Amino acid sequence: MAALPRRIIKETQRLLQEPVPGISAVPDDANARYFHVIVTGPEDSPFEGGLFKLELFLPEDYPMSAPKVRFITKIYHPNIDRLGRICLDILKDKWSPALQIRTVLLSIQALLSAPNPDDPLANDVAELWKVNEVEAIRNAKEWTRRYAMDN
Amino acid sequence: MGTCLCRCKRERRNPVPQNANRRLQRRARNSHLAVEEVQECYLPAAGAPWWKSMSSKAVDILVLDTLKIIGSLMENEQEPPEVLMKLHNIADQEEGWLQVVQSMVNVIPIDEPLGPAVITLLLDDCPLPNKEAVLKLSRIFNLSHQSAVVKSQRSIRQQRNICIILGVLAEKLSGPSSVAILTPGTLAYLVANLEENSDATVTLFSLVALEKFAQTSENKATIMRALLAVAGGNPLLRLEKLIDSKDLIESQVGFCAQWCLDNLFITEGRKYSYEKVDMSNINAMLNISDVSEYLKISPDGLEARCDAHSFESVRCTFQVDSGVWYYETTILSSGVMQIGWATRNSRFLNHEGHGIGDDEFSLAFDGCRQFIWYNASNHSQSKVRWKPGDTLGSIIDLNKPMIYFYLNGEQVASSDLVFQEARSGFFAAASFMSFQQCRFNFGSEPFKYPPPGLFFGHTINSFNDHGSLSAEKRIVLPRHLQLESLRQMSVKEDSCTICFDDRANRALRPCGHKGFCERCSYMLNECPICRAAIECIVEEDPETPDT
């Protein structure tokens, strides 16, 4: 294994010592750059009651480039596609090395509370979200029940 | 206020070509972007999923077609092939996913070097199955101790493919789903494959699958109990002795068993391999602090293996700046490895599928696809494909300058492309796709195909004759011990807020934000706090109040 930057060690220590409410992020036993993440669906969102698994990976040039994050649990959301990829500006061109794993995960949790169908990654979902929000939310709740509650 | 270090003096180069090839994985990964379009093309008007009318035979053919084209998926601008998109689309539904997996079990041939790569690639790219789908798959496989012992039940090929699939799923679904797939039957099957009289290939991939299941700690404990309960003792202790076997599959089994015993299934009373290995004659080895995270390195630092689905890379400890140098590699598996030379600037982007030969600071030979790789494009095709047991030799001649590759003593390719960017600072280096392994000889043992004493009038050198290693550098510490020592590191108060490594003694102008070290401040494109443009960077003592 390549030498692990202090930045990652420090962030990991803090994540374990002062966890963010509703989010757990645990480094892999074999790879300190890979985190197993669980985000709880925010209250008053269609994802409430669900436990969503994500994987987070810190690339070689982290923190100069953004962590790579992906939903593993299927989720019905206009900014998350069927492969779990997330459309979020801070994971792309708005990344800043002052951001951290913790802030990234908080942003993802916020994205669950406030889906943004005008900046879609999952086109069919975003379309429905715009034309028939009630049905879209029903689908999101159904997917939450089906995929995010069975464990 | 300190000196103003003007920004324009330090043009930062971006060494990663945005459009470059990202190995097979990346090519395929791009392909799902077009899934919607494909769906439209193939969806019958009635709305029933088009693949439901496909026979399992038709899916078998799609899998075989993928295998056929996968070696040629390397041209940068090429559209993702239709077969891959079709398979992705089929696998998007549970029933279709189960069909694709079963087709892979049945049709991927054992002697096709890219076979295992196709399995990992397809599973990696398709949406992950949920727990129910995975449990259905376990029922379809219906594995037990019996399925390992009754040889006629399944062919070696099917068994190997099942083990690869189990391993990939265990890795991808680590956590409760991984626990759910490791049913008592599956566990009994995998452990029975470790016993004597099992086919070595099936043993190898069972071992790899168990290793991946053990990434979930609950499984790890279960597997450990099962190993200890085997009559005749923990089978890994017998398997690790195969490391010196003349049979190359058996020696890979030995390597994996030893790695598991050192890193995962720690057994009481067994000394770690690094404590037993004789390093007295070794003055150059694979650099344990210059390797991507999933590559496995042998205790003597001369053998490497990848079982992850990423493209893992490593450099040697010894740097060459002038003269003529030679090293050899024994090829132990027949798949994609890119073996050659790289400077420090070459980056290991394992998850993007970038390795040695994929940027302008490295050049490598790949005897599976029979090409030299430079800057992620292929050059200088060779006529022969490597096979397990072959010896790849490489000379770097920094006088000329030129790099040459030899397979079993015969020159197969040469290139000077990498010298456009660098004329010195080279290291022997290599990248590995899943399940690939090779052994390096940097001169600590006699070369199998020694080059002539003089090469265009210059002496040929080996790293081992000129290198030296500190006591600390020579130790290939098991991962858990290495992580343990890293975590105990502490951080100073005035350290840089970005890397935590160096002192924070730089501030940005005009915004005035500070808390960065020299190295990090030069890597910034804008202020990380307020995104303001940076006009200049000033040196400033962390204690000095901002002016």
Side-chain angles (χ1 to χ4, degrees):
Chain A
M1 189 184 313
L4 194 64
R6 262 173 223 265
R7 156 85 182 234
I8 296 180
I9 298 165
K10 177 97 174 168
E11 273 199 64
T12 309
Q13 285 170 348
R14 192 157 161 237
L15 274 170
L16 298 174
Q17 284 157 7
E18 310 156 41
V20 191
I23 296 173
S24 106
V26 182
D28 189 78
D29 282 346
N31 180 0
R33 287 175 176 271
Y34 183 93
F35 289 75
H36 303 273
V37 177
I38 296 172
V39 173
T40 52
E43 277 176 36
D44 301 322
S45 80
F47 311 103
E48 185 173 352
L51 289 179
F52 297 89
K53 277 177 69 177
L54 294 89
E55 56 180 8
L56 182 146
F57 176 75
L58 304 174
E60 188 188 74
D61 50 355
Y62 179 83
M64 288 304 163
S65 70
K68 297 188 189 316
V69 198
R70 190 173 79 107
F71 272 81
I72 291 175
T73 308
K74 274 190 166 207
I75 182 166
Y76 193 88
H77 191 291
N79 311 106
I80 300 161
D81 76 0
R82 69 172 86 192
L83 287 151
R85 294 174 303 182
I86 306 164
C87 183
L88 187 63
D89 56 357
I90 59 156
L91 293 177
K92 300 188 175 115
D93 54 324
K94 288 288 186 278
W95 169 254
S96 149
L99 294 167
Q100 301 179 10
I101 301 172
R102 145 189 316 266
T103 41
V104 164
L105 295 176
L106 280 168
S107 302
I108 291 172
Q109 206 180 33
L111 191 66
L112 296 187
S113 290
N116 178 9
D118 294 322
D119 183 22
L121 190 60
N123 271 313
D124 47 336
V125 179
E127 200 51 45
L128 188 65
W129 216 283
K130 278 197 274 196
V131 293
N132 188 347
E133 196 179 345
V134 176
E135 198 191 329
I137 288 177
R138 196 165 52 231
N139 285 347
K141 282 185 180 161
E142 170 57 21
W143 280 42
T144 304
R145 197 189 56 73
R146 199 182 327 161
Y147 301 115
M149 293 187 186
D150 71 332
N151 288 330
Chain B
M1 281 287 268
T3 9
C4 192
L5 309 156
C6 183
R7 199 179 153 71
C8 55
K9 281 186 195 153
R10 45 181 182 87
E11 280 271 63
R12 190 163 62 105
R13 85 164 45 247
N14 181 0
V16 188
Q18 290 303 310
N19 246 337
N21 167 38
R22 289 160 84 188
R23 286 287 77 67
L24 312 175
Q25 290 104 320
R26 170 167 149 185
R27 272 265 45 111
R29 199 159 284 152
N30 290 339
S31 60
H32 46 236
L33 297 174
V35 162
E36 316 296 336
E37 291 159 37
V38 182
Q39 203 156 32
E40 274 160 32
C41 309
Y42 289 92
L43 256 173
W50 59 272
W51 53 267
K52 283 219 169 164
S53 57
M54 282 181 86
S55 64
S56 59
K57 193 84 202 153
V59 179
D60 288 355
I61 290 169
L62 285 179
V63 169
L64 284 174
D65 282 348
T66 308
L67 187 60
K68 250 182 248 161
I69 57 158
I70 202 145
S72 58
L73 292 184
M74 40 197 165
E75 279 72 42
N76 293 346
E77 307 308 330
Q78 190 183 308
E79 277 301 301
E82 200 178 83
V83 278
L84 260 185
M85 293 195 277
K86 281 193 197 174
L87 281 171
H88 282 219
N89 209 18
I90 295 171
D92 198 41
Q93 304 289 324
E94 181 181 295
E95 212 177 309
W97 183 81
L98 289 169
Q99 182 55 56
V100 172
V101 172
Q102 288 176 83
S103 286
M104 290 195 292
V105 169
N106 291 326
V107 304
I108 304 269
I110 209 149
D111 51 0
E112 167 53 58
L114 289 166
V118 167
I119 298 179
T120 47
L121 177 148
L122 280 174
L123 286 176
D124 197 29
D125 263 13
C126 292
L128 279 172
N130 61 18
K131 201 164 147 188
E132 283 158 39
V134 165
L135 288 176
K136 263 188 205 162
L137 185 69
S138 302
R139 282 195 292 276
I140 294 170
F141 284 167
N142 190 24
L143 298 171
S144 62
H145 186 269
Q146 196 70 5
S147 17
V149 180
V150 182
K151 308 278 184 220
S152 56
Q153 212 173 1
R154 281 195 181 90
S155 66
I156 303 275
R157 162 168 85 185
Q158 288 168 320
Q159 295 203 57
R160 186 210 55 177
N161 293 343
I162 285 179
C163 292
I164 295 178
I165 288 163
L166 287 173
V168 174
L169 292 177
E171 187 172 30
K172 292 257 86 180
L173 299 169
S174 57
S177 296
S178 171
V179 175
I181 327 170
L182 192 65
T183 59
T186 304
L187 177 61
Y189 169 75
L190 292 172
V191 171
N193 284 337
L194 305 184
E195 291 182 33
E196 267 179 301
N197 303 322
S198 302
D199 177 85
T201 305
V202 177
T203 304
L204 176 63
F205 285 96
S206 297
L207 192 50
V208 171
L210 285 169
E211 177 208 319
K212 299 197 174 207
F213 276 113
Q215 288 174 7
T216 300
S217 44
E218 191 179 332
N219 282 337
K220 186 167 152 183
T222 315
I223 295 168
M224 195 67 203
R225 278 196 301 276
L227 290 174
L228 295 175
V230 171
N234 185 346
L236 296 183
L237 294 170
R238 180 178 56 80
L239 292 177
E240 77 165 328
K241 299 198 182 100
L242 294 177
I243 203 156
D244 297 319
S245 170
K246 291 268 185 296
D247 179 307
L248 297 180
I249 305 277
E250 281 186 5
S251 90
Q252 291 179 59
V253 170
F255 180 97
C256 290
Q258 185 184 62
W259 192 89
C260 280
L261 286 166
D262 282 330
N263 290 277
L264 270 181
F265 306 123
I266 318 296
T267 308
E268 236 175 276
R270 177 188 176 274
K271 263 190 165 181
Y272 286 115
S273 306
Y274 81 89
E275 297 171 305
K276 293 182 285 191
V277 67
D278 175 19
M279 299 291 284
S280 52
N281 186 30
I282 293 175
N283 305 318
M285 58 188 263
L286 300 173
N287 190 342
I288 43 164
S289 24
D290 195 10
V291 52
S292 57
E293 62 266 29
Y294 288 116
L295 198 70
K296 297 170 178 170
I297 296 192
S298 63
D300 66 1
L302 293 175
E303 198 160 329
R305 176 181 178 90
C306 169
D307 284 309
H309 56 268
S310 41
F311 195 52
E312 299 293 311
S313 302
V314 63
R315 268 181 285 256
C316 170
T317 50
F318 190 75
Q319 178 176 332
V320 296
D321 294 310
S322 61
V324 185
W325 302 83
Y326 178 76
Y327 76 96
E328 273 181 359
T329 315
T330 305
I331 305 302
L332 297 171
S333 60
S334 55
V336 171
M337 290 180 270
Q338 294 177 192
I339 303 172
W341 303 87
T343 70
R344 280 247 184 267
N345 288 333
S346 176
R347 298 205 302 166
F348 300 162
L349 300 173
N350 46 349
H351 292 265
E352 273 82 59
H354 269 285
I356 308 306
D358 294 333
D359 56 28
E360 60 266 68
F361 303 105
S362 58
L363 185 130
F365 181 72
D366 162 12
C368 175
R369 290 177 295 178
Q370 298 158 257
F371 283 113
I372 276 192
W373 290 92
Y374 171 68
N375 208 4
S377 53
N378 52 322
H379 304 269
S380 168
Q381 183 159 23
S382 87
K383 291 190 187 65
V384 277
R385 201 176 208 192
W386 64 27
K387 53 186 190 311
D390 282 353
T391 301
L392 180 77
S394 185
I395 286 181
I396 189 168
D397 178 350
L398 290 159
N399 303 318
K400 203 167 176 171
M402 185 65 97
I403 289 172
Y404 304 85
F405 294 100
Y406 304 83
L407 203 56
N408 302 326
E410 297 288 324
Q411 186 177 323
V412 283
S414 63
S415 174
D416 61 356
L417 286 166
V418 71
F419 300 110
Q420 295 163 11
E421 292 294 331
R423 289 298 298 268
S424 63
F426 285 93
F427 296 83
S431 299
F432 304 73
M433 264 185 67
S434 316
F435 316 122
Q436 303 309 314
Q437 183 174 343
C438 69
R439 184 168 178 84
F440 296 83
N441 181 3
F442 298 131
S444 61
E445 292 157 38
F447 290 120
K448 280 193 199 138
Y449 297 93
L454 285 179
F455 195 76
F456 295 111
H458 296 279
T459 322
I460 301 180
N461 302 293
S462 84
F463 312 148
N464 210 63
D465 290 346
H466 295 261
S468 67
L469 293 169
S470 66
E472 194 189 330
K473 273 246 166 200
R474 286 169 199 263
I475 299 176
V476 183
L477 212 55
R479 281 180 191 189
H480 59 286
L481 299 180
Q482 203 180 355
L483 280 178
E484 193 57 39
S485 67
L486 282 171
R487 294 224 165 89
Q488 282 163 4
M489 236 157 56
S490 64
V491 173
K492 286 200 198 82
E493 275 303 303
D494 61 352
S495 60
C496 167
T497 55
I498 290 180
C499 65
F500 293 107
D501 273 328
D502 296 335
R503 256 179 105 232
N505 55 4
R506 289 291 187 279
L508 310 179
R509 292 286 181 270
C511 68
H513 283 116
K514 54 187 182 179
F516 317 110
C517 69
E518 182 181 4
R519 198 163 51 102
C520 287
S521 65
Y522 281 112
M523 288 198 279
L524 297 170
N525 293 317
E526 56 182 19
C527 172
I529 316 281
C530 66
R531 298 194 199 280
I534 302 168
E535 276 167 25
C536 70
I537 295 166
V538 295
E539 193 171 346
E540 196 177 77
D541 204 43
E543 277 81 37
T544 322
D546 199 9
T547 44

